[in-house]
Amino acid sequence: MKPGVHQFEDKLLDFAYGELQPHEAEAVDAHVRGCTKCAASLAQITTVRSQMQTLPQELAPSGGLESLLAFAQQHAAQVKAPNRTASWWQRLLVPMSSVMALLVVGVVAWRAQYTPDAASVAFRQKAPTPMPVAVTAAPPREALTVEREVLRDRLAEKAAPKMANADVSPPADESFNALFGGGTDAPREKREAATTRGADKPAPRADAENKKDRGDYGLSSRSSEVASTGSAVQGSGSSDDRAADKIKDAAPSPLAYAEGLERKQQTPGASAPVVASTPRPIGEPVPAKTSMALGGPAGPRQEAKPVEAEATGALNDGVAQANTAANVQAQAVRSRVSNVFEGQLNSARAANSTGDRQTEIKESLGVINGGAEGAARAEALKRLCDAYDTLGEADSAQVFCDLLVREFPQSAAAKQIALRRSALSPKTKVTPVKKNPAAPAMSR
Amino acid sequence: MLAYKSGDARAFSTLVQRHRAAVFNFILRSVGHRQRAEDLLQETWLKVVRNSSEYQPKARFTTWVFTVARNLCVDNARKERFRKTRSLDGPMGADDERSLGELLPDDNAASPERAADSVRMRPLIDQALSSLPDEQREVFLLREYQGIAFKEIAEVTGVNENTVKSRMRYALEGLRKKLNEVGIEAELVSPVSPGRTVA
């Protein structure tokens, strides 16, 4: 096959489909007319095309057309939308502002809920009864003391229901006493009732009688002290420091219960009187929860935490943790205190039986300094009174005897002492005082 | 398409009305299954909408939309490669015993006789078309039924123009042989001799 003869053979396809330029088409047409082979090839193409043209065009389905157009319209609207907005930061302005506002509200709410100051203020506002100290007019120290007292009340109220649910748990007041000491052991109603009375007026006898009937001699004494403290702060016009000291004195700590003697021995410089040293200032550290829960050795100072930090932490941890901590702490302190006091009293009894008065005095002082209440305190005072008397230390014996008579006037030992004194010296008369008198140092 | 790209929804409606049938026929001849062709048709236009922002006016819209449709057909062919292909002569479904060819309307029928011939020839033509390889069939469909030039077909299929023409020649030769095999003679279907019947 010569290339020049069928030079248009490659263009037959384009010629058949009309894709050649007019002059090219004329040239191919002229060639095909004179070339049988190219004419046959062109005929085959046109024949097949003719046959395939019998296949008709199908109608497109109508289904989905509306949804397609709707989608296209929506897409077109989205295409138009960015042109109306100015810039990306303006589009993000509204959602970002909303998020920031929510964050601010959340932070403020969180702080209002968990900040101790805000919590205490809110609690004071919610409190149904007025507090004995005016917080707004109080100096910082007093305000802090009252605030901590409120905090203790709150924790005690949280702890009370759970402890009441447990069969082995004492009432809320007792659990609170075990947790925070006996200074605020009197119910709030009684303290407030005492607050309304005069500053020099002691707690009513019926109140003390009720306490005594429950065997709560030490508590009744302290309740009157707390009542008088509140009255003094509010109505007597005494100095702020004195008021704060009274409140502090009225709030013994669990450490005083369980670790009182050991603490005194570790801090010989603290020559607090017998009764005044029993309560714990609120700022003093308290035993760690874990050591008490595990029943570890009594009174490791390293495990103690400041009450303020503990209270703040408890609030921050939430009510649930506060309840749990209160329960654990109260139970641990109760068990430890009872064990320590019982052991010391047993030692004192054994020393008494062997005639070792010094040991008896030491163990009894440990019970007193530990903040014992009720029968344990009465027995310790009686042993101190007798032991000092036996040793011939009349002054010391008189101090403890006076305490015994004053704090437990209805006890047999007190009556016996009163009778003995009246027999020896009819002019001697023991009068109850409103505040713990200065007592000899307990540490030996 | 440029008008729709700028946000004119009515322009898209115009495009759909203009090209929808052609695209559907191309897809239908390519996949040989009506329901699948309808799905691919919808998918094609959805893709056109989604990718409208990427449309460049360098090529005609027809070229672009058939490129989209062709790619979808290729993907579908890959998916259906291991699936049993139903014959065009086979029943369309459990409720419809008619074949696809019998369901196709005959708009070009000029007379009852021609319509009858067309109905008889249609399955054979479909069979011949289906016998072509995919790359030849798509070129033939685009050129013969959609009127797209070889140069544009080259853009659609992604090959050069000479390859397209070569595939076209092979397709025409294959169709001619297949039609002869099934007994369709050229003179019977010649437009100049509409009265002739299929042998």
Side-chain angles (χ1 to χ4, degrees):
Chain A
M1 182 185 302
K2 295 179 181 179
V5 176
H6 300 293
Q7 58 179 334
F8 296 106
E9 189 175 6
D10 294 339
K11 296 185 180 297
L12 290 178
L13 192 61
D14 294 323
F15 178 75
Y17 283 96
E19 294 191 11
L20 291 176
Q21 297 295 325
H23 65 278
E24 289 181 332
E26 291 176 359
V28 171
D29 187 37
H31 172 76
V32 168
R33 292 178 187 276
C35 180
T36 55
K37 185 179 180 182
C38 289
S41 297
L42 183 61
Q44 288 180 354
I45 294 174
T46 54
T47 300
V48 172
R49 290 194 64 191
S50 300
Q51 291 170 334
M52 298 305 293
Q53 283 295 326
T54 58
L55 201 62
Q57 289 286 309
E58 297 293 326
L59 294 176
S62 59
L65 181 59
E66 293 181 358
S67 62
L68 174 65
L69 294 177
F71 175 72
Q73 191 170 3
Q74 182 182 1
H75 189 271
Q78 291 177 354
V79 170
K80 280 185 176 181
N83 296 331
R84 290 194 295 267
T85 58
S87 59
W88 62 271
W89 65 269
Q90 288 182 343
R91 294 197 302 272
L92 295 177
L93 185 61
V94 172
M96 289 295 291
S97 301
S98 303
V99 171
M100 290 300 296
L102 287 176
L103 285 176
V104 169
V105 170
V107 169
V108 170
W110 184 83
R111 290 182 63 85
Q113 183 178 1
Y114 292 109
T115 300
D117 293 338
S120 60
V121 170
F123 181 77
R124 284 196 295 271
Q125 291 175 351
K126 288 171 57 179
T129 56
M131 299 304 297
V133 178
V135 177
T136 54
R141 182 181 178 189
E142 184 179 355
L144 182 61
T145 304
V146 173
E147 184 176 302
R148 288 168 181 163
E149 182 178 328
V150 170
L151 178 61
R152 286 199 311 272
D153 290 344
R154 184 178 181 183
L155 291 175
E157 290 177 4
K158 295 293 183 182
K162 291 200 172 188
M163 300 191 67
N165 292 335
D167 295 337
V168 297
S169 300
D173 286 344
E174 293 185 19
S175 64
F176 177 77
N177 295 337
L179 177 59
F180 294 104
T184 54
D185 50 2
R188 177 179 294 180
E189 294 79 13
K190 290 188 173 72
R191 284 187 280 134
E192 290 165 357
T195 303
T196 57
R197 292 188 290 269
D200 297 331
K201 187 176 181 179
R205 178 178 297 269
D207 193 0
E209 289 292 334
N210 292 335
K211 300 277 184 182
K212 182 196 67 177
D213 293 340
R214 296 185 310 198
D216 198 5
Y217 298 97
L219 297 184
S220 63
S221 172
R222 281 184 175 73
S223 65
S224 62
E225 292 175 6
V226 171
S228 61
T229 299
S231 302
V233 172
Q234 187 179 32
S236 64
S238 60
S239 67
D240 296 336
D241 290 340
R242 285 182 56 196
D245 290 340
K246 287 181 179 181
I247 294 175
K248 288 198 303 181
D249 293 342
S253 70
L255 185 64
Y257 280 93
E259 304 169 359
L261 177 59
E262 185 177 350
R263 182 183 59 195
K264 290 302 177 184
Q265 291 172 348
Q266 289 177 354
T267 57
S271 58
V274 175
V275 178
S277 64
T278 300
R280 175 189 60 82
I282 296 176
E284 283 191 14
V286 296
K289 301 171 185 177
T290 53
S291 65
M292 292 187 297
L294 295 175
R301 300 278 295 183
Q302 298 85 339
E303 297 175 356
K305 291 176 10 181
V307 167
E308 182 177 5
E310 184 186 34
T312 304
L315 286 177
N316 288 337
D317 292 341
V319 176
Q321 291 184 5
N323 291 337
T324 304
N327 287 332
V328 172
Q329 197 172 15
Q331 292 176 0
V333 168
R334 274 200 314 277
S335 62
R336 287 185 58 191
V337 164
S338 61
N339 291 336
V340 169
F341 292 161
E342 188 63 28
Q344 288 175 330
L345 287 176
N346 287 336
S347 298
R349 292 173 194 135
N352 182 281
S353 63
T354 59
D356 187 0
R357 296 295 180 181
Q358 293 294 342
T359 303
E360 183 183 5
I361 290 172
K362 178 182 177 181
E363 297 298 333
S364 300
L365 284 175
V367 173
I368 297 299
N369 284 335
E373 304 288 343
R377 181 178 176 85
E379 181 179 351
L381 289 174
K382 179 181 181 299
R383 290 193 176 280
L384 287 170
C385 177
D386 293 343
Y388 278 119
D389 186 60
T390 303
L391 292 175
E393 298 180 12
D395 294 337
S396 299
Q398 185 177 359
V399 170
F400 292 105
C401 292
D402 289 346
L403 285 173
L404 178 62
V405 172
R406 183 169 59 246
E407 295 181 7
F408 306 98
Q410 302 301 323
S411 64
K415 292 178 180 177
Q416 187 177 5
I417 291 171
L419 289 175
R420 186 173 58 191
R421 286 181 174 177
S422 63
L424 295 176
S425 175
K427 294 181 179 179
T428 303
K429 183 178 181 181
V430 177
T431 57
V433 295
K434 301 171 187 62
K435 186 179 179 182
N436 296 331
M442 291 296 105
S443 61
R444 297 175 61 89
Chain B
M1 187 61 193
L2 292 176
Y4 175 69
K5 188 179 177 181
S6 62
D8 186 1
R10 291 177 299 178
F12 181 78
S13 178
T14 303
L15 287 173
V16 170
Q17 292 174 0
R18 184 181 300 170
H19 299 285
R20 195 160 183 259
V23 174
F24 175 70
N25 278 272
F26 169 73
I27 296 173
L28 178 62
R29 308 294 185 207
S30 297
V31 302
H33 191 276
R34 191 175 188 87
Q35 183 61 45
R36 208 172 303 148
E38 292 179 359
D39 295 340
L40 290 176
L41 174 69
Q42 192 76 358
E43 192 173 349
T44 297
W45 286 105
L46 290 175
K47 207 166 185 177
V48 167
V49 172
R50 292 193 189 101
N51 299 334
S52 60
S53 60
E54 301 175 1
Y55 173 72
Q56 298 296 331
K58 293 183 295 186
R60 295 169 57 193
F61 174 75
T62 306
T63 305
W64 188 56
V65 71
F66 275 104
T67 302
V68 174
R70 183 253 179 190
N71 291 336
L72 289 174
C73 289
V74 170
D75 293 342
N76 178 77
R78 289 172 182 166
K79 294 176 184 176
E80 298 295 326
R81 184 164 297 170
F82 299 103
R83 190 179 298 178
K84 185 177 180 181
T85 305
R86 180 177 298 162
S87 172
L88 290 174
D89 292 332
M92 290 298 294
D95 300 331
D96 192 350
E97 294 298 328
R98 295 176 297 171
S99 67
L100 173 61
E102 292 170 349
L103 293 173
L104 300 178
D106 186 8
D107 298 334
N108 297 330
S111 66
E113 291 181 354
R114 181 172 175 80
D117 292 343
S118 179
V119 168
R120 291 178 58 189
M121 290 173 56
R122 214 171 291 160
L124 302 178
I125 294 174
D126 281 330
Q127 185 178 355
L129 192 60
S130 300
S131 66
L132 293 177
D134 291 343
E135 64 273 9
Q136 296 178 21
R137 185 169 62 248
E138 68 182 6
V139 171
F140 180 80
L141 290 173
L142 291 172
R143 186 63 192 91
E144 185 65 38
Y145 297 110
Q146 311 308 329
I148 299 177
F150 291 120
K151 186 178 181 180
E152 294 179 7
I153 293 174
E155 296 177 6
V156 171
T157 57
V159 296
N160 60 53
E161 186 176 354
N162 289 331
T163 302
V164 171
K165 290 179 180 177
S166 175
R167 290 177 179 177
M168 187 68 183
R169 291 191 193 96
Y170 281 113
L172 290 170
E173 182 63 21
L175 286 172
R176 186 184 66 82
K177 291 179 180 178
K178 189 67 179 177
L179 291 174
N180 287 335
E181 287 177 5
V182 298
I184 299 178
E185 296 177 359
E187 55 272 21
L188 295 180
V189 295
S190 174
V192 294
S193 57
R196 296 182 182 180
T197 59
V198 177

